[in-house]
């Protein structure tokens, strides 16, 4: 579990580390915030697209072996980010890093799905997500502080070295670890057909796309908003962003208790309500200090709702679990890429406040939609599974 959590940490850090760096990278390359927001989509879009390849490969060759290759690619690509001389080359390297990172969290979730019964899986996934949450907690402060004192390039160099260390550790331990393989499984788009044909699976994937777009679309832009609206230095912005991880940890640390108390439908409604309230609070109370609470609420609300979708994804195709989880992550990150681009465009048209209000409305719709789907599939008993 430690290696899986470390891989999850690196993947999450790679995705979120750029948030507090957007403003300083925009300044260095003399471009606007909406222009530099392409760095968010550059990571998430290849991350999602590469799922279609890595899922079947994980089923065929072993999930840990795919993870090892992904770690190596991630280390090289993030080093390339550190050496990038302009926004175009940085965007390309971010895309390669995103494509490599695609073999970390999804493959880990599929590996957990192979080993853990569904009744215990949400709690186990919650423990795995501690690594992801830790990245959410420290990515902001590290990114902000490095940006202030060592420059944004040092952030990517640190990620590259860390990935190399985890890759070497996994390579040494790999022969002694169980890693289920199915030699007859290969890259064949027809393996995704059941996910498209079955209306319940198809709807779950469409909801995942919507979740990625409306629930994570505002995350990258809170950092430049804090810098622009309140004149905060990047170190302070990073500390505020770290509160997202604190809120998320409030869910993952006690995931088993939360699901027992609320059930899946209750968690979805709770998560949607908390996230909507967080964005409303941030827009209505014009003080930067309140964003510590806003970020904590966003972290708790997002992970509370997202964990339900995540656990459901591991049961779509139990015999080829890496393939089904890959489809789930593909839709999630397609949504996040589209959401980031749309939010960046909305900021240009409506300003930060207008764009965040649009996100809040979208969150309400997605939470109610998912709750209705779960109620229909379980006959009103969210603990039926």
């Amino acid at each position: 579990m430690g290696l899986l959590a470390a891989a999850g940490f690196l993947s999450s850090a790679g995705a979120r580390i750029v948030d507090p760096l957007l403003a300083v990278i925009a300044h260095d390359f003399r471009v606007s915030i909406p222009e530099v927001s392409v760095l968010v989509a550059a990571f998430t879009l290849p991350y999602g697209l590469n799922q279609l390849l890595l899922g079947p490969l994980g089923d065929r060759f072993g999930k840990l072996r795919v993870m090892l290759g992904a770690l190596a690619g991630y280390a090289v690509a993030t080093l390339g980010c550190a050496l990038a001389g302009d926004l175009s080359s940085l965007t390309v390297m971010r895309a390669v890093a995103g494509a490599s990172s695609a073999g970390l969290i999804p493959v880990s979730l599929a590996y957990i799905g192979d080993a853990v019964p569904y009744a215990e899986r949400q709690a186990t996934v919650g423990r795995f997500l501690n690594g992801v949450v830790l990245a959410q907690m420290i990515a902001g402060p590290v990114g902000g502080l490095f940006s202030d004192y060592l420059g944004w390039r040092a952030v990517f160099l640190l990620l590259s070295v860390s990935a190399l260390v985890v890759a070497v550790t996994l390579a040494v331990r790999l022969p002694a670890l169980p890693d289920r393989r199915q030699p007859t499984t290969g890259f064949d788009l027809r393996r995704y057909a059941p996910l498209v044909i079955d209306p319940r699976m198809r709807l779950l994937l469409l909801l995942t796309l919507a979740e990625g777009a409306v629930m994570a679309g505002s995350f990258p832009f809170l950092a430049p908003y804090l810098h622009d609206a309140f004149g905060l230095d990047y170190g302070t912005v990073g500390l505020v962003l770290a509160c997202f991880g604190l809120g998320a940890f409030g869910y993952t640390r006690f995931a088993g208790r939360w699901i027992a108390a609320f059930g899946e439908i209750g968690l979805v409604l709770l998560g949607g309500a908390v996230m909507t309230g967080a964005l409303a609070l941030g827009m209505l109370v014009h003080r930067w200090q309140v964003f510590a609470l806003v970020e904590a609420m966003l972290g708790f609300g997002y992970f509370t709702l997202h964990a339900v979708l995540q656990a459901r994804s591991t049961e779509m195709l139990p015999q080829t679990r890496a393939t089904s989880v890959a489809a789930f992550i593909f839709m999630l990150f397609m949504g996040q890429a589209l959401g980031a681009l749309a939010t960046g465009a909305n900021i240009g048209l409506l300003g930060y406040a207008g764009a965040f209000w649009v996100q809040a409305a979208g969150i309400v719709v997605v939470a109610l939609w998912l709750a209705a789907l779960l109620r229909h599939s379980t006959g009103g008993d969210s603990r039926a599974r």
Side-chain angles (χ1 to χ4, degrees):
M1 183 61 71
L3 282 173
L4 298 185
F9 172 91
L10 287 167
S11 181
S12 182
R16 292 301 306 276
I17 200 71
V18 78
D19 295 2
L21 305 178
L22 288 178
V24 69
I25 292 174
H27 179 268
D28 280 2
F29 291 144
R30 299 184 180 182
V31 297
S32 67
I33 292 295
E35 286 177 280
V36 84
S37 67
V38 70
L39 295 176
V40 178
F43 188 95
T44 55
L45 191 61
Y47 187 113
L49 288 170
N50 209 26
Q51 301 303 319
L52 298 178
L53 173 64
L54 294 181
L57 289 180
D59 287 326
R60 180 172 185 177
F61 296 108
K63 298 166 183 64
L64 297 183
R65 288 165 175 80
V66 168
M67 185 184 299
L68 180 60
L71 284 166
Y74 180 96
V76 172
T78 49
L79 177 61
C81 290
L83 300 176
D86 53 39
L87 182 59
S88 296
S89 56
L90 178 57
T91 301
V92 170
M93 287 296 99
R94 283 283 291 171
V96 177
S100 300
S101 185
L104 301 179
I105 292 178
V107 172
S108 296
L109 289 170
Y111 188 83
I112 291 170
D114 284 345
V116 181
Y118 188 85
E120 304 171 21
R121 201 170 298 155
Q122 279 213 44
T124 304
V125 168
R127 290 194 294 273
F128 160 72
L129 288 175
N130 285 334
V132 177
V133 169
L134 182 61
Q136 302 282 356
M137 291 172 65
I138 73 171
V142 169
L145 291 172
F146 270 53
S147 176
D148 278 341
Y149 297 105
L150 297 176
W152 59 267
R153 297 178 188 277
V155 177
F156 292 110
L157 181 60
L158 177 63
L159 285 178
S160 178
V161 172
S162 300
L164 182 60
V165 170
V166 176
V168 170
T169 304
L170 177 59
V172 170
R173 295 187 56 188
L174 188 60
L177 296 173
D179 193 12
R180 191 170 81 181
R181 286 176 280 180
Q182 295 178 330
T184 58
T185 301
F187 179 69
D188 186 347
L189 288 177
R190 289 175 296 179
R191 295 186 181 278
Y192 292 99
L195 299 173
V196 178
I197 295 171
D198 189 310
R200 293 170 301 176
M201 295 184 190
R202 186 170 64 242
L203 184 55
L204 187 69
L205 291 174
L206 287 174
L207 264 168
T208 303
L209 179 73
E211 182 218 5
V214 306
M215 293 195 170
S218 62
F219 294 166
F221 301 99
L222 288 168
Y225 170 70
L226 289 170
H227 175 71
D228 292 349
F230 302 105
L232 299 181
D233 61 79
Y234 300 118
T236 302
V237 169
L239 291 173
V240 173
L241 295 183
C243 295
F244 183 97
L246 291 175
F249 189 72
Y251 172 76
T252 61
R253 178 65 179 82
F254 305 103
R257 297 181 187 179
W258 286 114
I259 188 62
F262 288 89
E264 290 185 323
I265 294 174
L267 288 179
V268 166
L269 295 175
L270 176 64
V274 171
M275 290 190 72
T276 303
L279 288 175
L281 177 65
M283 295 303 98
L284 293 173
V285 181
H286 197 71
R287 295 178 62 86
W288 73 264
Q289 292 87 346
V290 79
F291 277 84
L293 178 59
V294 168
E295 285 284 349
M297 291 171 67
L298 287 173
F300 177 81
Y302 179 74
F303 274 83
T304 297
L305 187 150
H306 179 69
V308 176
L309 272 174
Q310 206 160 47
R312 288 279 174 144
S313 75
T314 63
E315 282 298 293
M316 289 191 295
L317 295 175
Q319 299 306 312
T320 52
R321 210 177 303 271
T323 298
S324 63
V325 173
F328 167 75
I329 300 295
F330 169 79
M331 296 299 283
L332 177 68
F333 275 79
M334 290 301 98
Q336 290 190 7
L338 293 173
L341 292 174
T343 304
N346 282 340
I347 289 171
L349 293 172
L350 307 173
Y352 284 106
F356 292 155
W357 280 119
V358 170
Q359 294 295 122
I363 290 169
V364 172
V365 172
V366 169
L368 293 176
W369 187 10
L370 178 56
L373 174 65
L374 294 175
R375 187 173 290 110
H376 176 74
S377 65
T378 61
D381 181 6
S382 63
R383 295 174 179 82
R385 296 179 66 90

